[in-house]
Amino acid sequence: MTDRSKILDEMNDRSREVFRRVVEGYLSNGEPVGSRTLTREMSEKISAATIRNVMGDLEYLGLLDSPHVSAGRVPTQQGLRMFVDGLLEVRDLDQTDRHALDQTVTSNAGDVQDVLDRVSTALSGVTQGASLVLAPKHEAAIKHVEFVSLGADRALVVLVFSDGHVENRVFTPPPGQTPSAMREAANFVNAFVEGKTLSELRGTMKQQIEARRQEIDTLAHALIDSGMVVWAEDGDQHERLIVRGRSNLLQTEGAEEDLDRIRELFDDLERKRDIADFLDLTEAGDGVRIFIGSENKLFSLSGSSLVVSPYMNADRKIVGAVGVIGPTRLNYGRIVPIVDYTAQLVGRMISDRS
């Protein structure tokens, strides 16, 4: 049992109700909740002085904070965490929200990237937060590989997949590249490429280069090694992370320093940093996860919360994730089922197309 759950279990009914009502009031309007407000809402009739004493005890436990003298209380990050873990009531998904999300995939038009772009836009719209959708890496079988010179220090590897998808990736070739070395490298790779996914090809090429060192020119060998470095990366990661609804956070009322932190968050996302970390967040457990403030290093600078869920392919393998970023006073009870349903929706779409 964690310390937070132990504290919650040891609270009497009065303290638990005061704590719950303070958090719910703060999440509803973003304002501190005062004792006089609670005297009108409590299930038992008690004085404002008694409520202030209870609030003082909760503040001593680190669950509430008073931003200004006589301004009421707000939950701390620890308090929000305890509320989410122990007292949060998750609503059923609203039918209007469900319809808006369903509309993004019902037409089934466009490629996966187009559909995910629509999903991200819809998710941002229904939550009024910023949405993140991490698209799956392309795992169709490769049909053909080609190397193209772009200059003395730049080359292009062209990957043609069996489903018609084409990816172009720029890399730095070894010094002294020649057209013949590029042709030899492409011929060598294409001899083993058919029917293999990108991840499978990487493993095959390592084995084949070791086994057939005498059959391939040194320069072509170096060229393949350089190309494999590009293949070993996640590819064009900026195309994998779809971010929508930035303006929703920038329009949130708050202090100028809060807006500066939010801008810094989105600057980080636009530079596509920590994408792998975003997916790692979901792999530690199934279902929806909630990160509040500094619990997640990716969003700690913004003072924001992240609600995130993985989605799976037909083989039940996690291949991507969807999430919503918002202020720490997110309506978690409403956002959690939306993110959960969106992840299931995307997972079904990916499985149907695979």
Side-chain angles (χ1 to χ4, degrees):
M1 182 180 292
T2 65
D3 290 341
R4 283 193 296 266
S5 60
K6 185 177 180 181
I7 291 173
L8 192 61
D9 287 342
E10 291 178 350
M11 279 187 190
N12 60 34
D13 291 342
R14 177 182 294 172
S15 296
R16 188 188 294 253
E17 184 178 0
V18 168
F19 173 66
R20 178 176 59 80
R21 291 190 181 278
V22 169
V23 177
E24 289 176 344
Y26 172 74
L27 294 181
S28 176
N29 56 40
E31 298 294 330
V33 179
S35 56
R36 291 193 180 277
T37 300
L38 293 185
T39 57
R40 298 189 295 269
E41 298 177 350
M42 292 289 291
S43 57
E44 61 174 326
K45 191 170 182 60
I46 53 177
S47 67
T50 299
I51 291 177
R52 283 195 293 271
N53 288 335
V54 175
M55 292 169 113
D57 292 339
L58 293 171
E59 187 171 356
Y60 176 78
L61 292 172
L63 304 179
L64 299 182
D65 190 18
S66 48
H68 307 289
V69 177
S70 302
R73 301 300 201 282
V74 297
T76 62
Q77 179 176 311
Q78 180 184 350
L80 279 175
R81 180 80 263 169
M82 192 171 83
F83 174 82
V84 165
D85 289 344
L87 296 175
L88 178 65
E89 295 182 1
V90 176
R91 305 179 190 173
D92 292 333
L93 182 64
D94 182 88
Q95 290 302 311
T96 302
D97 295 336
R98 182 192 296 268
H99 178 71
L101 294 167
D102 286 343
Q103 287 292 100
T104 63
V105 297
T106 49
S107 66
N108 222 25
D111 61 17
V112 169
Q113 194 77 13
D114 291 335
V115 176
L116 293 181
D117 187 86
R118 295 199 299 269
V119 168
S120 188
T121 300
L123 184 58
S124 171
V126 300
T127 62
Q128 289 301 294
S131 65
L132 301 178
V133 175
L134 185 63
K137 288 185 284 188
H138 201 83
E139 285 294 336
I142 300 173
K143 185 177 181 180
H144 186 74
V145 175
E146 196 70 46
F147 292 100
V148 179
S149 176
L150 300 177
D153 60 350
R154 294 178 74 230
L156 191 70
V157 58
V158 182
L159 302 170
V160 181
F161 294 84
S162 58
D163 61 358
H165 179 76
V166 178
E167 288 187 17
N168 301 316
R169 303 183 183 180
V170 178
F171 69 101
T172 303
Q177 61 166 324
T178 64
S180 61
M182 286 198 160
R183 285 194 299 272
E184 184 179 356
N187 291 338
F188 186 85
V189 173
N190 285 317
F192 310 103
V193 75
E194 189 172 356
K196 292 182 175 60
T197 65
L198 195 56
S199 55
E200 291 170 342
L201 178 61
R202 289 198 294 265
T204 298
M205 291 313 304
K206 289 179 181 179
Q207 296 174 358
Q208 293 298 333
I209 286 176
E210 288 297 322
R212 301 170 181 264
R213 282 187 176 276
Q214 306 305 317
E215 299 178 23
I216 186 169
D217 178 83
T218 302
L219 194 55
H221 182 181
L223 187 63
I224 294 172
D225 283 343
S226 300
M228 284 177 62
V229 170
V230 178
W231 303 340
E233 297 171 352
D234 285 336
D236 293 332
Q237 287 194 338
H238 65 280
E239 295 181 355
R240 294 193 63 210
L241 186 62
I242 304 168
V243 183
R244 295 291 179 269
R246 168 178 175 159
S247 60
N248 289 335
L249 293 191
L250 292 177
Q251 291 171 1
T252 301
E253 293 184 7
E256 183 61 33
E257 57 267 27
D258 294 333
L259 294 180
D260 287 341
R261 286 196 294 269
I262 291 171
R263 291 187 185 101
E264 184 173 353
L265 159 67
F266 278 96
D267 285 343
D268 280 350
L269 288 173
E270 286 180 358
R271 289 193 294 268
K272 311 308 182 254
R273 289 164 51 182
D274 297 323
I275 293 178
D277 291 336
F278 178 56
L279 186 56
D280 287 345
L281 296 178
T282 68
E283 293 182 338
D286 294 334
V288 180
R289 303 190 70 200
I290 299 172
F291 297 88
I292 300 171
S294 60
E295 292 175 349
N296 171 19
K297 69 175 185 177
L298 180 56
F299 301 104
S300 61
L301 289 178
S302 70
S304 301
S305 287
L306 168 68
V307 181
V308 62
S309 178
Y311 61 85
M312 302 180 182
N313 61 13
D315 298 324
R316 304 295 297 167
K317 176 184 176 184
I318 293 175
V319 293
V322 300
V324 171
I325 312 170
T328 53
R329 62 178 187 87
L330 269 177
N331 185 343
Y332 297 99
R334 176 173 176 263
I335 300 298
V336 166
I338 290 174
V339 170
D340 184 42
Y341 182 74
T342 305
Q344 295 178 43
L345 197 66
V346 172
R348 287 197 298 269
M349 185 270 293
I350 296 292
S351 297
D352 290 345
R353 290 179 174 229
S354 64

